[in-house]
């Protein structure tokens, strides 16, 4: 009798696969259609951010943080600024703290919209991404109005934020594709200040969220593709170093915004959603609820920011530059400005590990200074690494098609993993 | 927060005695250095002992102290950031490799599985070997990369660059053609700078 020799089959998933969310190379060992082993090869987007930081001044390092997780840029700057501020011991003005919290939450919504949209796209729900990107566009407009750039804002600075919120929004203009009537309608929410626009968005957003729920939450196909896929028990989630929505999806109630509050999160009223089963569907529900909670936080920030004008960056000119007006009028301020932008600030020797609740999980910056104008070592802990490292465990025993569902659920961005 | 950390500091001294160095409290964070020979046992105790309960290893990374201003001591260290969800506190643990030329540190992969990739990364970037690690491959650098790029003696420009050679019709490696360029020099100010005679 001849017995057919059956061998496992190895395939390459990526690095150019559209569902790989960037340049992930996943070597999958298959037994038929069942995954036996998944070996992610990362580093195709490694830019050596930490090494580059050692050759740049503390301020020049900041824009690199935007490039880590290029789908939610601002919170990465936040972690870095907090680390530098802890080393320097500078106080951040209260208004800047509110602005930071508001922008973090705007980014959280933006990040989760991308995640849910593309996750659904990956596993077959084409239309979802069209809706979520429509809302993302509004948030990009917010970021553009505040920072001047749609993506890599470089808005947070050690000691505060670069500038105050703008009093007006950019408007649509008539062209051969848009007539006067359309432009008027489009500009309706943009006639006031940025805060008016954002408030209008927060009023509209719960309606959008319910639309997504209608599309996905009880959708039979969506549930078939996500319920029971990539189950992680709470014990394993801790062992595997999970954080953020991945940890909460497994039923561990842990959110740095509540447990180790930074900035003004302790003044905010919001809830932490927690999953039950630790599967892909639960993590989806956690993210949906997080968006709703972020929306609440943004509303509270808007209300406070309307009533309380004030400085947005520290007046310690060893850390932050003086205003242009003062700089042109005073010799001392001119020297400060010159020294700050040629030599840069000197950060006292020491080390600090600061962690924040990034949309993807815990983002930590371990900054080591020996008193120079450049960091001695910056270690960036990004949430993506442990999550991606767990892909192997999560994929084992699942079908090949579920690999996409699992990559989608870990909210993968390779810029964040590879640094 | 600091009262809590003082409690942790006190308990560390009580439980470990002279098996660890004196814990250092600075900027609201606690750092403890553990000698390499006690490292593995101490880490296991830090996780399992209900007094400490460090369920999570948030980060583990290498560091090369060779150019640290005013530093004398071992060159390479592996630094872990531990987090306890039960007690809601953090601890930074440092362990220095005893040999500078061939740094070896025990692997904590069995204690926290997440250490797998972190240790691969520290091995890749700093050349620290983790004893007991089952899969110590390079992780971030290119396939076939030579050297450990995050060491302080490794130039920022690297040694080789890659390009497509139209004659051979394949990708080739060649020595780098760019010069290292430093726009802002690295400066460490002396302690009394701008404080002395008021002229600064």
């Amino acid at each position: 009798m001849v017995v057919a020799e059956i061998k496992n089959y190895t395939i390459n998933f990526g690095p150019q696969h559209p569902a790989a969310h960037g340049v992930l190379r996943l070597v999958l060992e298959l037994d038929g259609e069942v995954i036996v082993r998944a070996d992610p090869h990362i580093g195709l987007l490694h830019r050596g951010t930490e090494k580059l930081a050692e050759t740049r001044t503390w301020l020049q390092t900041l824009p690199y943080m935007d490039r880590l997780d290029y789908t939610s840029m601002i919170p990465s700057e936040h972690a870095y600024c907090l680390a530098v501020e802890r080393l320097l011991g500078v106080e951040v003005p209260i208004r800047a703290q509110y602005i930071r919290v508001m922008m973090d939450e705007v980014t959280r919504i933006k990040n989760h919209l991308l995640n849910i949209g593309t996750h659904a796209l990956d596993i077959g729900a084409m239309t979802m991404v069209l809706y979520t990107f429509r809302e993302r566009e509004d948030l990009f407009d917010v970021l553009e109005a505040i920072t001047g750039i749609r993506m890599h804002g470089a808005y947070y600075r050690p000691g505060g934020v670069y500038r105050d919120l703008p009093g007006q929004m950019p408007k649509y203009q008539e062209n051969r594709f848009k007539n006067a009537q359309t432009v008027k309608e489009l500009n309706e929410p943009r006639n006031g200040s940025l805060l008016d626009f954002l408030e209008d968005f927060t009023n509209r957003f719960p309606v959008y969220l319910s639309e997504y729920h209608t599309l996905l939450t009880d959708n039979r196909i969506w549930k078939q593709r996500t319920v029971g896929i990539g189950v992680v028990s709470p014990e394993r989630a801790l062992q595997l170093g999970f954080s953020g929505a991945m940890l909460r999806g497994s039923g561990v109630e842990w959110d740095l915004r509540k447990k180790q509050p930074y900035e003004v999160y302790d003044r905010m009223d919001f809830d932490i959603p927690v999953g039950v089963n630790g599967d892909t569907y639960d993590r989806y529900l956690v993210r949906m609820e997080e968006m709703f909670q972020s929306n609440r936080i943004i509303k509270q920030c808007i209300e406070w920011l309307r009533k309380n004008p004030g400085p947005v960056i520290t007046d310690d000119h060893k850390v932050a530059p003086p205003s242009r007006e003062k700089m042109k009028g005073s010799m001392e301020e001119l020297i400060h400005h010159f020294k700050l932008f040629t030599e840069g600030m000197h950060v006292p020797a020491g080390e600090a590990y600061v962690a924040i609740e990034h949309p993807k999980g815990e983002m930590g910056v371990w900054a080591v200074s020996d008193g120079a104008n450049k960091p001695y070592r910056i270690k960036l802990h990004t949430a993506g690494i442990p999550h991606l490292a767990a892909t192997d465990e999560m994929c084992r025993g699942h079908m090949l098609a579920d690999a996409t569902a699992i990559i989608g659920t870990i909210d993968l961005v390779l810029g964040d993993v590879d640094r | 927060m600091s009262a809590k950390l003082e409690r942790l500091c006190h308990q560390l001294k009580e439980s470990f005695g002279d098996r660890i160095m004196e814990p250092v409290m600075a900027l609201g964070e606690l750092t403890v250095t553990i000698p390499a020979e006690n490292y593995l046992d101490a880490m296991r105790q830090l996780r399992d002992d209900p007094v400490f309960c460090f369920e999570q290893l948030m980060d583990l990374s290498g560091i090369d102290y060779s150019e640290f201003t005013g530093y004398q001591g071992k060159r390479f260290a592996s630094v872990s950031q531990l987090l306890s969800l039960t007690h809601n506190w953090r601890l930074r643990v440092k362990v220095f490799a005893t040999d500078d030329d061939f740094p070896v540190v025990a692997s904590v992969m069995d204690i926290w599985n997440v250490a797998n990739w972190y240790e691969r990364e520290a091995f890749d970037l700093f050349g620290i070997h983790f004893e007991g690690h089952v899969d110590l491959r390079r992780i971030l650098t290119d396939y076939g990369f030579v050297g450990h790029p995050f060491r302080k003696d490794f130039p920022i420009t690297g040694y080789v660059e890659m390009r497509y050679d139209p004659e051979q019709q394949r990708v080739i490696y060649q020595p780098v053609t760019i010069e290292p360029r430093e726009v802002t020099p690295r400066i460490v100010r002396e302690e009394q700078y701008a404080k002395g005679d008021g002229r600064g």
Side-chain angles (χ1 to χ4, degrees):
Chain A
M1 199 176 100
V2 182
V3 180
E5 196 188 336
I6 300 168
K7 274 198 288 189
N8 280 350
Y9 189 67
T10 308
I11 64 162
N12 253 324
F13 180 97
Q16 302 293 345
H17 194 284
H21 291 234
V23 279
L24 167 71
R25 181 179 169 212
L26 196 58
V27 181
L28 295 170
E29 200 179 308
L30 301 174
D31 176 11
E33 221 184 313
V34 177
I35 300 167
V36 181
R37 203 171 71 95
D39 182 17
H41 287 212
I42 61 166
L44 288 109
L45 202 60
H46 179 58
R47 293 145 295 178
T49 306
E50 295 159 6
K51 179 95 176 171
L52 281 169
E54 291 168 16
T55 62
R56 302 288 187 276
T57 64
W58 287 93
L59 195 58
Q60 285 169 344
T61 304
L62 185 111
Y64 285 114
M65 301 300 135
D66 288 325
R67 274 88 181 157
L68 292 173
D69 180 354
Y70 43 75
T71 62
S72 45
M73 300 68 66
I74 298 272
S76 316
E77 294 172 18
H78 199 172
Y80 176 76
C81 285
L82 284 175
V84 178
E85 281 155 12
R86 184 175 291 178
L87 284 168
L88 284 164
V90 286
E91 281 287 315
V92 178
I94 186 80
R95 187 174 167 84
Q97 295 190 20
Y98 270 93
I99 293 176
R100 283 178 175 187
V101 166
M102 185 179 83
M103 289 312 291
D104 274 14
E105 296 309 316
V106 165
T107 316
R108 195 178 312 278
I109 293 183
K110 196 144 61 81
N111 178 76
H112 288 355
L113 284 175
L114 177 91
N115 173 253
I116 286 163
T118 54
H119 188 196
L121 177 69
D122 285 349
I123 53 182
M126 178 71 206
T127 36
M128 200 54 205
V129 75
L130 302 175
Y131 291 108
T132 57
F133 271 53
R134 177 188 63 187
E135 274 72 82
R136 258 171 76 82
E137 201 56 38
D138 279 348
L139 296 177
F140 271 128
D141 286 348
V142 168
L143 204 64
E144 188 179 1
I146 294 176
T147 70
I149 293 182
R150 281 166 62 86
M151 291 188 82
H152 304 303
Y155 179 56
Y156 294 1
R157 299 292 158 92
V161 296
Y162 171 62
R163 64 175 180 194
D164 208 342
L165 302 170
Q168 60 197 30
M169 281 293 290
K171 294 187 181 61
Y172 286 101
Q173 274 165 11
E174 239 177 281
N175 58 27
R176 61 200 170 95
F177 303 107
K178 291 192 178 74
N179 61 28
Q181 182 60 32
T182 320
V183 167
K184 191 162 174 274
E185 279 164 23
L186 282 170
N187 282 338
E188 196 63 44
R190 291 163 191 266
N191 287 326
S193 70
L194 173 109
L195 287 176
D196 295 332
F197 179 75
L198 200 56
E199 187 171 29
D200 177 64
F201 177 84
T202 54
N203 292 334
R204 283 181 282 139
F205 190 64
V207 183
Y208 297 145
L209 258 181
S210 64
E211 282 176 20
Y212 308 152
H213 276 299
T214 321
L215 272 168
L216 286 182
T217 306
D218 285 324
N219 184 321
R220 193 154 55 94
I221 306 171
W222 173 256
K223 283 178 97 166
Q224 280 168 350
R225 291 300 305 272
T226 54
V227 174
I229 303 296
V231 180
V232 183
S233 68
E235 296 78 32
R236 286 308 293 162
L238 291 175
Q239 265 287 316
L240 295 167
F242 280 14
S243 52
M246 297 289 287
L247 187 60
R248 290 191 285 277
S250 294
V252 181
E253 191 210 340
W254 182 261
D255 189 314
L256 292 175
R257 292 176 294 169
K258 280 271 192 219
K259 302 286 178 183
Q260 299 175 357
Y262 48 97
E263 309 292 20
V264 287
Y265 275 116
D266 48 351
R267 302 189 193 183
M268 297 292 159
D269 180 25
F270 64 104
D271 301 321
I272 304 298
V274 176
V276 179
N277 304 313
D279 59 2
T280 302
Y281 186 68
D282 275 20
R283 290 188 280 267
Y284 153 75
L285 289 178
V286 165
R287 290 197 173 106
M288 289 291 266
E289 185 56 26
E290 269 186 33
M291 287 200 281
F292 184 73
Q293 298 300 335
S294 295
N295 203 49
R296 278 176 68 193
I297 299 177
I298 296 174
K299 277 191 174 185
Q300 294 166 42
C301 288
I302 292 173
E303 206 192 323
W304 191 94
L305 285 166
R306 276 189 202 286
K307 290 184 202 142
N308 298 280
V312 291
I313 194 157
T314 175
D315 52 5
D316 180 352
H317 296 318
K318 298 270 185 265
V319 177
S323 71
R324 303 292 293 178
E325 227 170 293
K326 276 195 209 157
M327 186 195 98
K328 307 241 163 159
S330 146
M331 193 63 203
E332 196 189 335
E333 308 290 34
L334 183 66
I335 295 169
H336 271 132
H337 185 273
F338 178 74
K339 286 306 269 183
L340 198 59
F341 287 106
T342 51
E343 190 180 307
M345 64 180 102
H346 284 264
V347 172
E351 53 189 309
Y353 178 84
V354 179
I356 64 154
E357 189 71 27
H358 189 273
K360 292 189 165 50
E362 172 170 325
M363 157 102 198
V365 172
W366 179 48
V368 182
S369 171
D370 62 347
N373 55 344
K374 297 176 179 182
Y376 184 77
R377 167 121 170 88
I378 296 276
K379 172 69 172 68
L380 304 161
H381 166 76
T382 50
I385 308 167
H387 298 162
L388 183 61
T391 320
D392 182 32
E393 190 171 319
M394 288 163 80
C395 280
R396 275 182 200 201
H398 281 303
M399 307 289 258
L400 174 59
D402 295 331
T404 10
I406 288 168
I407 289 175
T409 193
I410 61 178
D411 202 355
L412 188 65
V413 164
L414 263 295
D416 179 55
V417 175
D418 288 348
R419 288 156 288 142
Chain B
M1 196 68 198
S2 73
K4 222 174 174 181
L5 277 184
E6 262 159 38
R7 208 174 81 223
L8 173 61
C9 184
H10 180 71
Q11 274 161 356
L12 277 171
K13 282 188 221 165
E14 204 165 82
S15 303
F16 291 102
D18 54 0
R19 285 194 292 150
I20 58 169
M21 315 282 223
E22 181 74 25
V24 180
M25 183 114 72
L27 303 170
E29 294 174 37
L30 195 61
T31 310
V32 64
T33 306
I34 303 181
E37 63 269 21
N38 301 333
Y39 178 58
L40 207 55
D41 291 340
M43 287 300 249
R44 184 160 279 125
Q45 192 179 339
L46 282 174
R47 185 195 67 179
D48 294 336
D49 196 336
V51 175
F52 302 113
C53 237
F54 287 103
E55 299 103 338
Q56 270 198 307
L57 171 74
M58 280 330 288
D59 194 23
L60 186 148
S61 67
I63 182 167
D64 172 5
Y65 274 109
S66 60
E67 286 175 14
F68 197 87
T69 310
Y71 176 81
Q72 281 170 334
K74 295 290 173 209
R75 183 175 172 189
F76 293 105
S78 157
V79 182
S80 317
Q81 320 281 350
L82 304 181
L83 170 69
S84 165
L85 272 61
T86 316
H87 300 296
N88 192 8
W89 55 32
R90 288 176 190 274
L91 175 69
R92 179 163 41 243
V93 176
K94 281 189 191 178
V95 55
F96 284 87
T98 41
D99 187 355
D100 284 354
D101 297 324
F102 184 68
V104 181
V105 171
S107 167
V108 292
M109 196 182 150
D110 290 338
I111 306 174
W112 294 280
N113 296 156
V114 65
N116 182 352
W117 276 27
Y118 295 145
E119 289 178 350
R120 277 177 68 185
E121 186 186 316
F123 161 70
D124 187 4
L125 302 179
F126 289 94
I128 301 173
H129 292 255
F130 288 89
E131 212 170 16
H133 194 289
V134 292
D135 185 27
L136 204 59
R137 285 177 291 158
R138 284 188 178 273
I139 186 164
L140 285 176
T141 51
D142 200 358
Y143 303 110
F145 189 87
V146 180
H148 299 291
F150 276 32
R151 289 186 173 187
K152 288 284 175 181
D153 48 12
F154 192 96
I156 184 91
T157 49
Y159 295 112
V160 288
E161 65 185 23
M162 196 173 73
R163 70 172 174 92
Y164 178 74
D165 186 39
E167 279 168 23
Q168 297 177 51
Q169 294 201 326
R170 65 184 180 88
V171 170
I172 58 161
Y173 287 89
Q174 62 185 34
V176 281
T177 51
I178 50 169
E179 294 278 317
R181 183 172 63 116
E182 193 167 52
V183 182
T184 317
R186 182 185 175 81
I187 305 161
V188 180
R189 291 272 180 235
E190 285 156 29
E191 198 70 3
Q192 287 306 310
Y193 176 79
K195 284 181 191 164
D197 52 8
R199 279 187 297 149

